[in-house]
Amino acid sequence: MKENSSQSIALTPRPPIVVIMGHIDHGKSTLLDYIRKANSTAKEAGGITQHVGAYEALHTDKEGKERKITFLDTPGHEAFGKIRSRGAKVADVAVLVVSAEESVKPQTLEALKFIKENDLQYVVAITKIDKPDADVERVKKNLLENEVYLEGWGGEIPNVALSSKTGEGVSDLLEVISLMADIMDLKANPQKPAEGVVVESHLDRRKGITATLIIQDGSLETGQAVLAGNCLSSVRMLEDFQGKSIKKASFSSPVRIIGWSEIPPAGELFKAYDTKKEAEARREEVEKINEEMKSATDKSGASEKVIEETRAIIPLIIKADVWSSVEAMEHELEKIKSERVTFQIVSKGVGDINEGDIKSGAGSAETTVVGFNVKIDKRAEALIERLGIKTHTSDIIYKLTEWLGEIVKERTPKISTEEAQGEAKVLKQFGKEKDRQILGGKVTQGVLTVGANVKISRRDFELGKGVIKELQQQKNKTKEVSEGNEFGILVESKIEIMPGDKIIPYIVVEK
């Protein structure tokens, strides 16, 4: 109980972590340079010498309160792609930079795609408004054409027009970021050991292996140890973003640690431990589990099987009145395909849908036909009816897209996921006979039920599974125990369950 109460107290607001993205030469670096000089926490030192790929800035808001903001200086870094694959985010807010001279460009759209894929809150910064050819309204119109709905233009995306040369609007941008952070209600616990993401790392010939980390929660101090994957470091030397030696840092701060066992990869998640011994024990635990998982995968080919079972391919025939319409349809497919469903174009062409088109896709019962501004000839129509091939024609492209979207939903394979129904902490071990174990514990979340399938977790890592065979509360048998109550339990599991472990009941849900 002591551990749970310490986790629930002292949650405090944390500064936002911001990444600036956009097309090349649209003013990202100039904007960062201006913020550094005007708002940097290092201004008393005569400006920043960049030691890491991130830095902190101070902004005095309209109420006169000093607000800290962390900026990532490497938006194109490989860390972002790797973080996405781990389901984590290094940034809270993105600034999409668009030049008032050039408006929306290909890399603008690439950045926008990344922002949306990562579900990032973002603000649009329209830069270079001091230039003679600047046209802010044109930028807003172009963004609208690309489904970016700005405030005042039918949407809610905040936007600021600014000049990084004169500084006009920069303070407004920082104010917007601060307000967004308030709305997001970013909070963290300064009392827990730090965790976060490796932003960059390299081998310094004089100092050894160094890594820049962004702390997302908790605090880090000298004397602790940090583990990122298999890479371990005792925190003897801790530096802030300026390269100054510090003793302690907290959430949202960029820090540099010197002296690692190996070079930690960018994008790797890290966690701090009070002692090196704890970090080493965790590393051994993870390595052992990884070996077991690798062995199981090698034997069963489970990974390939999962991919096959959860990914559907829709064979597709496209016909249109002109080639530009065919290309437009192909472009639309990119919008509606998903991780679990993709399209395979069997054939495409110009003109009415004919018998030859249908025969080209007749080998699969999943074949689908779409036609834009074309008709279906009688022989093709008869073949479509006989084979039961799904077909749709329209003279409006988005109607075809909507129809295909429904096909995607219909053919999306179901994936079984495990949803936790509660959590209990094991306090005592009373006895064990073969796979049956008698334990004492307390429900910290949800409810425990006789017959429930459970996961056994140690230090936040799943060791195995089991089944609840019996429950007792105050020495009386019961069917369930709710949150906050102590219990006795008989669990059937091949895993030896120890005090401190967690028992997590779950159900399997198809999505």
Side-chain angles (χ1 to χ4, degrees):
M1 283 299 291
K2 186 178 178 182
E3 184 178 299
N4 287 338
S5 61
S6 68
Q7 292 293 326
S8 62
I9 64 167
L11 283 182
T12 57
R14 69 168 177 83
I17 301 169
V18 180
V19 59
I20 297 184
M21 309 181 78
H23 192 77
I24 190 168
D25 293 332
H26 274 203
K28 298 188 297 293
S29 297
T30 312
L31 176 58
L32 283 166
D33 286 342
Y34 185 90
I35 293 170
R36 283 192 191 104
K37 291 171 186 174
N39 300 79
S40 165
T41 56
K43 61 186 177 183
E44 67 277 7
I48 288 184
T49 301
Q50 278 299 101
H51 289 276
V52 300
Y55 70 95
E56 294 174 344
L58 289 178
H59 165 63
T60 303
D61 65 21
K62 291 181 178 178
E63 296 177 359
K65 184 180 177 183
E66 203 169 62
R67 308 286 293 269
K68 187 186 288 185
I69 301 172
T70 295
F71 285 93
L72 292 177
D73 208 20
T74 51
H77 202 285
E78 63 175 325
F80 287 86
K82 293 188 177 180
I83 288 160
R84 182 168 66 244
S85 70
R86 288 175 170 83
K89 292 192 297 187
V90 72
D92 305 300
V93 176
V95 176
L96 180 64
V97 169
V98 188
S99 165
E101 280 188 305
E102 297 186 350
S103 196
V104 175
K105 291 288 184 180
Q107 285 179 18
T108 313
L109 299 178
E110 285 177 21
L112 185 62
K113 182 182 177 186
F114 174 87
I115 287 167
K116 290 182 176 180
E117 282 177 351
N118 286 271
D119 197 26
L120 273 172
Q121 299 290 320
Y122 70 104
V123 53
V124 174
I126 303 172
T127 59
K128 303 188 179 184
I129 61 171
D130 55 285
K131 299 289 186 179
D133 295 332
D135 189 340
V136 173
E137 295 306 300
R138 177 168 62 106
V139 172
K140 291 181 177 181
K141 183 181 177 184
N142 285 168
L143 287 168
L144 182 63
E145 291 166 353
N146 286 282
E147 300 178 353
V148 178
Y149 304 105
L150 302 178
E151 287 178 347
W153 283 68
E156 298 179 350
I157 304 300
N159 58 98
V160 178
L162 57 86
S163 166
S164 302
K165 186 176 180 180
T166 66
E168 181 185 349
V170 175
S171 181
D172 293 335
L173 175 65
L174 300 179
E175 185 72 17
V176 168
I177 291 169
S178 297
L179 287 171
M180 290 174 74
D182 290 341
I183 292 167
M184 293 168 73
D185 195 26
L186 303 171
K187 289 186 177 179
N189 183 354
Q191 297 180 22
K192 66 183 285 190
E195 53 188 53
V197 181
V198 177
V199 176
E200 61 184 16
S201 55
H202 68 281
L203 176 61
D204 187 307
R205 290 187 178 181
R206 291 184 298 109
K207 295 183 176 180
I209 298 172
T210 68
T212 300
L213 316 176
I214 290 283
I215 301 172
Q216 294 176 305
D217 197 5
S219 296
L220 180 67
E221 53 189 299
T222 54
Q224 291 183 320
V226 170
L227 188 64
N230 289 328
C231 309
L232 188 146
S233 176
S234 295
V235 187
R236 296 189 184 93
M237 295 181 67
L238 186 62
E239 297 179 351
D240 67 8
F241 69 97
Q242 299 168 251
K244 289 182 179 179
S245 181
I246 55 175
K247 294 292 185 183
K248 187 175 182 178
S250 194
F251 36 74
S252 299
S253 292
V255 294
R256 185 165 71 165
I257 296 177
I258 300 166
W260 292 76
S261 60
E262 301 173 49
I263 299 177
E268 187 68 73
L269 303 179
F270 79 84
K271 192 169 183 178
Y273 296 84
D274 289 332
T275 66
K276 185 180 179 182
K277 189 176 179 181
E278 284 182 57
E280 286 174 337
R282 176 58 180 159
R283 180 171 64 176
E284 288 174 10
E285 215 171 72
V286 171
E287 285 175 349
K288 183 180 178 182
I289 290 161
N290 286 343
E291 282 298 316
E292 289 173 355
M293 289 175 67
K294 183 177 182 298
S295 175
T297 301
D298 289 345
K299 288 178 182 177
S300 65
S303 296
E304 288 78 4
K305 188 178 179 183
V306 168
I307 290 170
E308 287 172 10
E309 287 178 351
T310 59
R311 187 175 179 86
I313 297 173
I314 300 176
L316 186 66
I317 296 167
I318 301 174
K319 294 298 289 287
D321 54 349
V322 292
W323 270 110
S324 60
S325 297
V326 174
E327 290 169 354
M329 275 304 307
E330 288 182 282
H331 178 73
E332 290 296 301
L333 296 180
E334 292 299 311
K335 298 179 183 178
I336 56 175
K337 72 178 185 180
S338 68
E339 287 184 3
R340 284 188 260 168
V341 180
T342 189
F343 292 96
Q344 181 181 45
I345 298 176
V346 177
S347 70
K348 57 185 178 181
V350 174
D352 289 343
I353 298 167
N354 57 47
E355 187 181 19
D357 296 323
I358 305 306
K359 284 181 177 178
S360 69
S364 172
E366 302 299 319
T367 298
T368 302
V369 182
V370 290
F372 174 71
N373 239 1
V374 295
K375 296 177 181 178
I376 307 171
D377 72 26
K378 289 185 178 180
R379 286 189 175 183
E381 208 166 50
L383 195 54
I384 287 167
E385 190 174 340
R386 182 159 60 87
L387 297 174
I389 291 175
K390 287 186 178 288
T391 308
H392 192 67
T393 62
S394 177
D395 56 0
I396 302 171
I397 276 192
Y398 80 81
K399 291 287 186 184
L400 290 173
T401 306
E402 286 178 354
W403 184 78
L404 283 172
E406 291 302 315
I407 297 292
V408 167
K409 287 180 186 176
E410 181 186 308
R411 297 189 186 172
T412 298
K414 300 291 184 185
I415 293 181
S416 295
T417 59
E418 296 172 351
E419 291 188 358
Q421 300 296 293
E423 186 177 294
K425 186 172 182 179
V426 177
L427 301 176
K428 292 180 182 178
Q429 184 186 51
F430 293 113
K432 183 176 186 295
E433 185 178 343
K434 293 185 179 179
D435 293 340
R436 294 192 163 214
Q437 301 169 60
I438 301 171
L439 310 161
K442 186 168 188 176
V443 180
T444 54
Q445 291 177 38
V447 64
L448 294 188
T449 308
V450 172
N453 294 310
V454 295
K455 300 177 187 178
I456 313 302
S457 171
R458 183 174 300 161
R459 294 184 183 178
D460 297 324
F461 192 88
E462 184 184 324
L463 297 177
K465 294 179 178 178
V467 179
I468 298 175
K469 306 303 284 187
E470 288 184 21
L471 281 170
Q472 284 189 5
Q473 192 172 348
Q474 296 178 346
K475 297 184 179 180
N476 295 317
K477 283 191 176 183
T478 182
K479 292 293 183 183
E480 66 175 41
V481 182
S482 57
E483 186 174 328
N485 293 306
E486 294 191 350
F487 59 84
I489 188 171
L490 175 62
V491 177
E492 189 172 82
S493 175
K494 294 184 183 298
I495 304 298
E496 184 172 358
I497 306 168
M498 307 293 290
D501 289 352
K502 291 176 183 176
I503 296 174
I504 304 167
Y506 68 92
I507 58 171
V508 177
V509 178
E510 279 198 347
K511 293 183 178 180

